[in-house]
Structure formats: C-alpha cells, structure tokens
Amino acid sequence: MIDLRSDTVTRPSAAMLEVMMAAETGDDVYRDDPTVNALEAEAARLSGKAAALFFPTGTQANLVALLCHCQRGDEYIVGQQAHNYKYEAGGAAVLGSIQPQPVLQAADGSLPLADVAAAIKPDDIHFARTRLLSLENTHHGHVLPLPYLAQAWHFTRERQLALHIDGARIFNAVVALETTLADIARYCDSLTICLSKGLGTPVGSLLCGEVAYIEQARRWRKMTGGGMRQAGILAAAGLYALQHNVARLKADHDNAAWLATQLSALGVDVVSQQTNMVFVKVPAAQVAALQSWMQAREVQISVGPQTRLVTHLDVSRQDLEQLVAYWRAFLQQ
Ligand SMILES: *Cc1c(COP(=O)(O)O)cnc(C)c1O
C-alpha cells in the first residue's frame, strides 16, 4: 500500500516502538512523568521558549493556544484556508466565544500585512477586540520566509497583537530553510508543533511559549480533557522523533520535488511543490477514474480537481516510481 493522502498516516517504526515500550512513566497530571517532562524541556530548548506543554492532538493545542490569547468577545485574524479556522470544527468560536476574522492567504501562504491591518477593529463598542494574528507554517507545503515573519512580528508589536504560529509542520520549514527552530520561533509568542505528521509518532503535539502562558494552557488543557496520565509512552516517541526524524525530512522534500518533475513530464498540471507537498490539477472528467485506478493498485490518494500528494517517511523513492508508472499507464489507456 502506497499512501500519499497525508503525512499523518506514518506509523511508528520498530525503533520508535522500542523506546515507547521502555519509557519511564508517572502521572503527568501530577507532573510526575519524567519522559513527558523531558519532552517538554526539549521542545522549550529547541524553540527557545521558556516552556512547552504536551498535547494529544494539534487541534487541541491550537484551541488552547487561542483560549490563552483571547477572552470571550475577542477575535483572532487568521488565514481563510488555515487549519485553525477551517479544519478545527469552529472550536475557538464554540468553546471560547472567540470570533475568527479570516483574511485571504497569498499564494505563498502568508497573510499580507496590509490586509491584516485593514481587518483590525478600532476600539469601539460595536466591534470584537482584535487580539491575535495566527499564521500557519508550513501552509500547503509553503514555507513562510523569515523576512516576512520578522515583519509580522514587528507589525504585531506595533499593533499590540499577540502572534501565534500553527507550526504543525514547522520542522519541514526548519529543514527547508536550513535554520533552527529557535530562529523561526523568535518571531512568535506561541507555537504549536505536530509530532504525528512527518515526524512519525502515533500521537502528540506541543505548545511552546512563556512560562505564565504555558501555566494558563495547562489549566485549559485539563478543562478540555487533555490531561493525560502515563503519557510518557507517547512522549518517548516524541523524543525519539525529535532526535531521529527531523533531518530526514529533507528526503521527503527531495522525493516531492522528484515526483513533481516526473508528473510534469507526463503532462500532468503541477500547480505547486514545496517541502513535502505536491498539488496537481486533475481534469474533472478524470477524477473518479483516476481514484479507482489507483485504488485498484493499492495506492491511496485523495483525487479531486486539486489533488494533494504528500511525501513522508513511509513512502520511498521506489514507491513513487511505481506511482508514476501507474499514472503513466492511466493516461495511456
Ligand atoms: C494536522 C494539522 C493540525 C493538527 O491536527 P491534529 O490532527 O489535530 O493533530 C493543525 N494545523 C495544521 C496546519 C495541520 O496540518
């Protein structure tokens, strides 16, 4: 089975399962799980933030991040296609009474700061209070450039907004820019990271920020049902991933670039490729046929008019060669 639907489909390797089996555990709600504590300390160290908190999912980490920045009746400015606007079931509005103010993303995944400025509400009783700018890095595979992040950081300081980065795939940006996590995270107040995507753990996300912020987050995490007990077995996978699965993301990026070139050569309309994602246009008349063609050959892809192909540690170059051969055969029928 070749699965290019998402990098969330990665499975824990034998070596990762071994460290999970051997993990020292305690009750993390009492803050006694040494492996969770070690993972949080490592995330804080890598991000250059004072503290970090382990979560079961990125959705919950993003929700808690928003609940800490915004009170009832506040708003956050966020991308129209951002995960924490569009794909988190409206959690900030439902559970936090926080109003989202979406802004169209530019093609490179950034939110143009002039558009953000125009969306900020004046201090007037008619309006929600604008409190936060939320960016996504990477977005659809696109890495936000460091100069843009620096501008956004200075802009938010001037406008007295907080800046959150949904960095579900931040390590793809770190590897693509050949920089460090801290060099990106210096431009935000809070950062979420997914361990369960390209980094290959079965479960887990992190929220990084200042000490008082993370203490507040700990309360919200408990309230939203994210206080786990012997979570060290999961944190062990996270520590393993941070040690062994970051540098190898380069192989996923190279594979995605290779795949984009090969599909282009077949005449497939490649819309974009950055980091581990390739987006291709599939003519409406081919969508259903391509889906079943691939399914019959044990290839999982979500075919649509705009099809996303995601490379990850469970997809080899050989798998991609196979996929390209299947695609060629499909087009030649
Ligand atoms: C996957 C993802 C999340 C979190 O997803 P979970 O499945 O809840 O861990 C958040 N933001 C982005 C951009 C993502 O891709």
Side-chain angles (χ1 to χ4, degrees), residues 8 57-59 62 83 88 136 138 166 168-169 194 196-197 205:
T8 56
T57 68
T59 297
N62 272 334
H83 199 280
E88 296 182 6
E136 189 171 300
T138 63
D166 176 355
R169 296 188 177 87
C194 280
S196 62
K197 294 194 167 155
S205 284

Side-chain angles (χ1 to χ4, degrees), residues 111-156:
L111 299 187
L113 295 178
D115 298 347
V116 174
I120 295 174
K121 313 288 184 291
D123 181 7
D124 176 308
I125 59 163
H126 291 88
F127 302 126
R129 292 167 299 240
T130 311
R131 291 289 192 220
L132 174 74
L133 173 62
S134 179
L135 301 174
E136 189 171 300
N137 195 12
T138 63
H139 174 69
H140 291 180
H142 292 282
V143 177
L144 296 183
L146 286 175
Y148 169 77
L149 289 179
Q151 279 168 17
W153 176 249
H154 294 300
F155 171 86
T156 54

Side-chain angles (χ1 to χ4, degrees), residues 197-272:
K197 294 194 167 155
L199 297 184
T201 76
V203 174
S205 284
L206 291 154
L207 173 63
C208 306
E210 292 317 311
V211 171
Y213 178 85
I214 293 297
E215 277 317 295
Q216 210 187 338
R218 197 178 285 281
R219 184 180 295 263
W220 280 118
R221 184 187 67 173
K222 189 77 185 80
M223 196 190 298
T224 54
M228 297 183 287
R229 303 295 178 170
Q230 285 71 40
I233 56 168
L234 304 175
L239 280 166
Y240 179 91
L242 291 175
Q243 241 169 43
H244 297 96
N245 290 350
V246 173
R248 67 148 306 287
L249 291 170
K250 171 99 172 49
D252 299 341
H253 300 175
D254 292 346
N255 276 341
W258 182 87
L259 179 62
T261 309
Q262 296 293 312
L263 291 177
S264 261
L266 294 182
V268 175
D269 186 354
V270 176
V271 181
S272 78

Side-chain angles (χ1 to χ4, degrees), residues 31 47 49-53 55 58 60-71 76 84 98 131-134 157 161-166 188-193 206-221:
R31 304 177 72 156
S47 65
K49 298 295 182 201
L53 192 62
F55 284 81
Q60 192 178 45
N62 272 334
L63 171 66
V64 166
L66 291 169
L67 291 169
C68 290
H69 284 300
C70 301
Q71 307 300 310
Y76 67 113
N84 64 352
I98 303 164
R131 291 289 192 220
L132 174 74
L133 173 62
S134 179
R157 299 314 94 173
L161 303 178
L163 201 165
H164 173 69
I165 294 179
D166 176 355
C188 66
D189 297 293
S190 57
L191 169 75
T192 44
I193 304 168
L206 291 154
L207 173 63
C208 306
E210 292 317 311
V211 171
Y213 178 85
I214 293 297
E215 277 317 295
Q216 210 187 338
R218 197 178 285 281
R219 184 180 295 263
W220 280 118
R221 184 187 67 173

